[in-house]
Amino acid sequence: MGKHPKGAAASAEGVKLSELVEGFLKEGDRAKRWSAKTRQEVDASLKLFVEILGADTPVGTLDRKQLAHFKDCLQRLPSNRSKNPLYRGKSASDLASMAIPAADLMDVSTINKVLGRAGGLLKWAAVNGHVAINYAEGMGIKTGKRAHDDREPWTDEEVRKLIDAVLSGAHGSGEAPYRKWVPLIGAFGGLRINEACQLTTSDFAEADGVPVFYVTDEGEGQRVKTVNSKRMVPIHQELVRMGLLEYVKARASGAKGSVRLFPELPVGRDGPGQTASKWFGKFRKQLGVDKPFHSLRHGVATRLREAGVPEDVVAELLGHARGTTESFQRYAKAASVKRLH
């Protein structure tokens, strides 16, 4: 400890990596920072981090070289190692020394997620005085793709095909209303699939004469991806024309209090969107479209940009951070509902 200057790193050298992870997860759980699915993924990533670098490693001794070693090991590991009998039960160090076929290796996006979660841990460690520097920062593997290239948006023609199909009722939308309204809400509102599936009748209202719905985590079983995801979204005039508000009214009729818009969807570990996502995967293949539900959201963002809508308004509609500066994020007021409309 004598070789370190007084301060964060010196006082933290005796803190073990496993203890750091335990504290980080404990605080995150208390703050309800993650959904059940994300919590499981964070836990798996950090267990791998601890396994490779060592549970008893003093946090204050971590450096760039150790993080580079972690990154190198990740690139040598197979995906789903616990499910494949060839790799099950073997340690990360044993697997890293094996000649694993390229087809079995973790893909770059998975590696970057694990590195990102390790970075989240060390960022928290730096904020709380456990380390001086987040050595995981900037460790991600650059793919040569821009972020928006990862998912191509649905084209206008593909969206029209989707609209015609769900409005025809040929895909069971009469028996299961979510099969009609969830794709339409995604196409015209840009909601994530779970955000659309968890809507309740009380999430619909009128603000300044404009019909809106609220994406929130206040109802039973509701959750949002980030704090910015909680938002008010004006209801697109096409959704109004297609009868969404009449459907909401019918669901609310005679009910005591708020009721779910799509009670036919079971609320599993990952929320009500899980069943809808499986159905939508089959549905869009029947349409001949090889793009996921989330690409509808990308399509909304693209059309808004092409229409010249200011970036901060697009961010509010889609539930992203409204800017990069503290003055903008903390002090700038949200756009009016009429501007959003």
Side-chain angles (χ1 to χ4, degrees), residues 34-50:
W34 308 291
S35 67
K37 179 183 179 183
T38 302
R39 173 61 169 79
Q40 190 176 55
E41 291 171 350
V42 170
D43 186 60
S45 295
L46 297 184
K47 278 182 178 176
L48 192 53
F49 188 48
V50 170

Side-chain angles (χ1 to χ4, degrees), residues 160-300:
R160 280 194 291 270
K161 191 183 292 186
L162 177 147
I163 292 169
D164 290 342
V166 297
L167 291 181
S168 73
H171 297 275
S173 59
E175 303 166 10
Y178 80 86
R179 295 182 179 179
K180 173 182 179 180
W181 292 116
V182 168
L184 293 176
I185 290 171
F188 287 105
L191 271 67
R192 300 175 177 92
I193 194 164
N194 212 57
E195 291 175 342
C197 291
Q198 69 180 15
L199 288 169
T200 69
T201 54
S202 63
D203 295 330
F204 288 75
E206 193 172 283
D208 292 338
V210 177
V212 300
F213 51 65
Y214 292 89
V215 177
T216 179
D217 59 357
E218 295 177 3
E220 185 179 353
Q222 290 184 323
R223 63 186 69 168
V224 292
K225 186 175 182 181
T226 68
V227 66
N228 292 306
S229 299
K230 295 199 286 188
R231 63 197 187 277
M232 174 185 66
V233 183
I235 300 173
H236 197 287
Q237 59 190 16
E238 282 298 295
L239 291 175
V240 176
R241 185 184 65 80
M242 291 171 181
L244 177 59
L245 296 183
E246 282 78 4
Y247 173 70
V248 174
K249 187 176 180 180
R251 285 288 304 136
S253 179
K256 294 182 179 179
S258 178
V259 294
R260 292 177 58 206
L261 225 54
F262 310 113
E264 66 272 21
L265 290 173
V267 181
R269 183 201 68 173
D270 301 330
Q274 192 170 6
T275 296
S277 183
K278 289 179 180 178
W279 167 78
F280 190 81
K282 298 175 183 177
F283 168 62
R284 50 107 169 159
K285 286 179 182 178
Q286 292 172 357
L287 297 179
V289 179
D290 189 23
K291 297 170 186 175
F293 187 94
H294 204 75
S295 288
L296 289 172
R297 182 172 164 84
H298 285 237
V300 172

